[in-house]
Amino acid sequence: MCGIVGAVAKRNIVPVLVNGLLRLEYRGYDSAGLVVVHEGKLERVRSAGRVAELRQKSANTTGQLGIAHTRWATHGIPSERNAHPHMSRNLIAVVHNGIIENYEELRAELSEQGYEFTSDTDTEVIAHLVHSHYAQGNLLLATQTALSQLVGAYAIGVIAADNPQQLIAARKGSPLLLGVGEGENFVGSDMSALLQVTRNVVYLEEGDVVEVNLDSYRIFDEQGTEVQRPVQISELDNDSVELGEYKHYMQKEIHEQPQALANTLESVCNSQSLVPGIFGAEANSIFPKIESILILACGTSNHAGQVARYWLEEIAGIPCTVEIASEYRYRASVPNPNTLVVTISQSGETADTLAALNHAKATGHGYTLAICNVPESAIIRQSKLRLLTRAGPEIGVASTKAFTTQLAALFLLTLVMAKVRGRLDEKREQQFLHELRHLPAAMQKVLALEPQIAEMAKLFADKHHALFLGRGMHFPIAAEGALKLKEISYIHAEAYPAGELKHGPLALVDKDMPVVSVAPNDTLLEKLKSNLQEVRARGGELYVFADADTHIHASEGVHILQMPEHAGFLSPILHTAPLQLLAYYVALQKGTDVDKPRNLAKSVTVE
Ligand code: G6P
């Protein structure tokens, strides 16, 4: 989703803006642009293509103050005229991430005042609004006044042609942070954009407006009161956002899973027993009161929640429901104040998940827990309890290592809940801890299957549809496999609990419909084998990801990938990796843009 970079310095900041945008490419975008102040004039360059094109087009542009943007279209098609920055009368320039809900009425009012609109975006109203309040030359005040008229979500950067050493930025509902340099300052949608220039970061809070100058900055809260926010040192590793030896970030991130799992489980694996305190000090008093769990999340994170439901009910004996955040937020549901509301989010900024969390709180849920990969994200800040997944930055739009670390975190939640509820004796706890310690190594073995999966993927390249089957806690893994395939290879893929096959999807099965099946050696194996027979009998081609001891053998039309070992309750985590690799290699066959699939965004900060 849209990315913002801004800079004020005593040097040419165009390379900083462009490099920052390159770092934000992973968020997903369809056009890009920048504007600088040069000799008292705004100089704007925009491109309906990639940031690389913008880099070429801006090779001769220089300036010491500027803002830049990658756009993910909401209002108006992806095109150069809709690309940001948007300008008002060559005096004010604005970049914006978010959606202005009352833009139509503002547009009508501003048109009446004589402002001419040159794009179909909601953003352009912000530029004209700021312009309309800028008569006295106070950019901060003009921006604050404009913001007070907006309904919706925004992160913005604003500059004025006659104010060459000042940038105004603000956030509400969309992420933005301030990078503090020496004699120069920056803003960015996330830290990866700013690591090239500084590690000193101020996380802006909801409603904050910041006046950014060369040597100083001032932050104002939503009421306009000047406030102090701490400067933190970012621990983000610059190398972790480099591609290194891999062809794509997705491939790199799939291979980072053993380390990401080890990092996420580190504190627990080094200790002798599990304690609620890993979710925050208050968990000790909250967890014993919890009667049920409500999980809210979107996309891949929702699939993690669906797996956790099986664990929580079976191991911890606690009722659990999982809801799509965008549905829950608009549903009149029945709250139970003793429910623990768990939000799961890689980014911690997904608009629907954040809104679902706030909806839950508004309906009377006081106990909230975030499982999230980004410290200081909105979802973390707005939850009482938290567990950080330590997957490191995830750049590929299709989520991989964030998902498996979310599962690891949710397994810890299951075990702690089970212990609090007296359902985990010492022996079983030690057994689970032992299995968790082994998980990174077990994942490494699964990843060694990559060459076999790459071969298998060749058989998918000319297919248009695929069916994914799983049962029990592996059904959400089948759903995740289908999601990965459709996201990056654009092959239409659906997942079904295998028992549902005969209630509809079997009608679709023929030789052109590959059927991928997750086949762990668990209590449902025999039933799954019958389901696979149903597919074979209709001429369907089967691709079975089977545990070593399942005794499913390759035959005509049945392709088997043997998983190294069976991992009991942790099996869904291991069964995820081959499906990620399958999607990756099918996408390579099809030549798609693996890390930045069309129409998708990494961090969906608008509704
Ligand atoms: C987008 C991403 C998905 C992700 C979903 C939820 O759709 O493309 O990969 O699963 O958002 O994101 P979150 O950051 O909340 O986990």
Side-chain angles (χ1 to χ4, degrees):
M1 200 122 292
C2 308
I4 290 177
V5 191
V8 49
K10 288 184 205 115
R11 54 175 165 146
N12 176 22
I13 46 75
V14 172
V16 175
L17 297 180
V18 173
N19 287 333
L21 290 187
L22 284 169
R23 294 295 196 191
L24 295 178
E25 274 194 312
Y26 77 93
R27 298 166 69 89
Y29 71 104
D30 42 57
S31 51
L34 60 84
V35 66
V36 293
V37 172
H38 183 69
E39 294 174 354
K41 288 206 175 81
L42 292 175
E43 278 185 24
R44 175 170 68 175
V45 187
R46 296 184 291 176
S47 145
R50 291 280 165 214
V51 176
E53 196 181 311
L54 182 74
R55 184 204 285 272
Q56 279 177 0
K57 282 175 110 175
S58 61
N60 298 322
T61 310
T62 58
Q64 301 182 344
L65 167 72
I67 46 179
H69 189 263
T70 45
R71 172 172 188 254
W72 191 81
T74 56
H75 296 71
I77 57 161
S79 63
E80 194 168 319
R81 70 188 277 277
N82 285 333
H84 299 210
H86 288 289
M87 297 184 1
S88 183
R89 296 182 181 169
N90 290 320
L91 180 62
I92 300 291
V94 172
V95 289
H96 166 224
N97 170 14
I99 288 181
I100 303 306
E101 288 168 15
N102 59 337
Y103 87 102
E104 276 173 331
E105 82 197 50
L106 290 171
R107 191 174 168 126
E109 281 168 28
L110 288 159
S111 299
E112 256 176 48
Q113 290 171 34
Y115 283 102
E116 250 180 65
F117 282 80
T118 57
S119 79
D120 309 315
T121 65
D122 51 341
T123 302
E124 199 177 348
V125 299
I126 309 177
H128 295 314
L129 262 188
V130 173
H131 184 281
S132 71
H133 298 303
Y134 189 55
Q136 288 84 34
N138 185 333
L139 191 59
L140 172 68
L141 194 62
T143 307
Q144 283 170 317
T145 314
L147 293 178
S148 69
Q149 294 172 264
L150 302 182
V151 177
Y154 54 76
I156 58 163
V158 185
I159 59 171
D162 60 356
N163 195 1
Q165 295 191 336
Q166 190 175 78
L167 152 65
I168 307 295
R171 68 154 288 183
K172 188 178 182 182
S174 298
L176 196 71
L177 43 84
L178 172 69
V180 183
E182 281 178 26
E184 53 186 24
N185 289 308
F186 310 90
V187 294
S189 292
D190 70 38
M191 201 55 210
S192 60
L194 301 186
L195 276 181
Q196 51 163 333
V197 281
T198 184
R199 282 194 172 273
N200 301 332
V201 55
V202 177
Y203 293 99
L204 299 176
E205 304 214 346
E206 283 293 279
D208 278 358
V209 180
V210 54
E211 177 197 271
V212 190
N213 304 302
L214 273 176
D215 291 307
S216 64
Y217 60 87
R218 294 194 297 158
I219 303 175
F220 301 85
D221 66 12
E222 204 167 0
Q223 284 68 46
T225 311
E226 189 168 347
V227 285
Q228 302 297 322
R229 306 266 182 243
V231 180
Q232 305 190 20
I233 311 292
S234 170
E235 285 174 12
L236 195 64
D237 179 0
N238 210 3
D239 287 349
S240 62
V241 288
E242 300 286 351
L243 198 47
E245 69 195 81
Y246 294 98
K247 267 182 124 173
H248 296 96
Y249 282 107
M250 182 176 179
Q251 187 191 24
K252 174 176 183 253
E253 287 156 7
I254 290 172
H255 281 276
E256 282 172 348
Q257 288 179 113
Q259 190 58 51
L261 287 167
N263 291 347
T264 303
L265 295 168
E266 189 182 271
S267 57
V268 175
C269 290
N270 289 341
S271 69
Q272 288 314 306
S273 70
L274 288 153
V275 288
I278 57 173
F279 296 96
E282 282 179 277
N284 287 305
S285 58
I286 293 175
F287 279 8
K289 297 183 207 150
I290 296 302
E291 292 167 3
S292 61
I293 291 187
L294 168 63
I295 297 180
L296 303 171
C298 302
T300 288
S301 297
N302 185 277
H303 289 154
Q306 289 183 38
V307 175
R309 182 168 70 97
Y310 288 88
W311 289 336
L312 284 159
E313 298 218 343
E314 189 167 344
I315 303 172
I318 189 161
C320 176
T321 45
V322 186
E323 292 214 34
I324 300 273
S326 55
E327 285 296 309
Y328 173 80
R329 63 181 288 192
Y330 291 115
R331 197 168 75 76
S333 49
V334 183
N336 170 358
N338 289 330
T339 294
L340 179 68
V341 177
V342 179
T343 50
I344 309 171
S345 176
Q346 187 285 126
S347 62
E349 303 286 350
T350 301
D352 283 323
T353 309
L354 201 51
L357 170 62
N358 288 325
H359 178 69
K361 289 205 252 181
T363 56
H365 288 292
Y367 302 138
T368 53
L369 163 68
I371 290 181
C372 182
N373 198 36
V374 181
E376 296 299 326
S377 60
I379 285 173
I380 286 280
R381 285 201 305 265
Q382 291 175 33
S383 302
K384 229 183 199 121
L385 306 173
R386 69 205 48 192
L387 186 70
L388 278 177
T389 49
R390 291 176 54 205
E394 193 180 64
I395 308 290
V397 165
S399 184
T400 52
K401 61 178 180 171
F403 176 67
T404 44
T405 54
Q406 284 166 352
L407 288 176
L410 288 160
F411 197 71
L412 294 181
L413 177 65
T414 305
L415 296 186
V416 171
M417 275 294 168
K419 198 168 168 186
V420 169
R421 295 164 70 80
R423 290 177 61 110
L424 191 69
D425 61 27
E426 167 73 22
K427 195 168 155 229
R428 219 163 162 234
E429 179 179 358
Q430 291 310 318
Q431 179 59 31
F432 279 132
L433 282 173
H434 173 75
E435 288 172 19
L436 283 170
R437 286 185 194 111
H438 176 61
L439 192 59
M443 179 59 97
Q444 198 71 58
K445 282 194 212 164
V446 176
L447 293 174
L449 299 171
E450 186 169 7
Q452 282 164 259
I453 301 169
E455 276 305 307
M456 205 182 238
K458 291 182 183 156
L459 304 170
F460 279 70
D462 63 340
K463 298 289 187 274
H464 300 288
H465 308 273
L467 207 53
F468 283 66
L469 302 178
R471 292 199 77 130
M473 61 184 178
H474 292 84
F475 164 60
I477 299 304
E480 177 59 11
L483 178 63
K484 289 290 86 97
L485 191 69
K486 68 183 125 186
E487 277 178 317
I488 60 166
S489 77
Y490 315 149
I491 291 178
H492 168 226
E494 294 302 334
Y496 271 88
E500 273 291 292
L501 195 61
K502 53 191 169 300
H503 298 296
L506 203 52
L508 299 172
V509 171
D510 63 12
K511 63 177 180 23
D512 294 322
M513 169 79 97
V515 179
V516 180
S517 180
V518 186
N521 190 0
D522 61 14
T523 50
L524 292 168
L525 179 63
E526 289 312 314
K527 296 197 183 302
L528 182 76
K529 282 182 178 171
S530 312
N531 302 140
L532 299 186
Q533 289 302 331
E534 292 162 8
V535 172
R536 258 329 275 150
R538 273 85 188 168
E541 194 96 350
L542 279 167
Y543 296 82
V544 186
F545 291 69
D547 284 353
D549 46 3
T550 49
H551 304 294
I552 305 177
H553 301 289
S555 57
E556 205 199 327
V558 183
H559 310 266
I560 305 286
L561 186 95
Q562 289 249 312
M563 296 285 284
E565 53 192 299
H566 177 62
F569 277 110
L570 294 174
S571 169
I573 301 179
L574 298 180
H575 267 279
T576 301
L579 299 180
Q580 296 168 339
L581 285 167
L582 179 69
Y584 175 71
Y585 279 99
V586 175
L588 283 195
Q589 290 288 324
K590 299 200 70 176
T592 57
D593 194 346
V594 174
D595 286 330
K596 297 185 278 289
R598 68 184 181 203
N599 306 341
L600 299 181
K602 179 73 185 159
S603 181
V604 183
T605 50
V606 297
E607 212 183 319

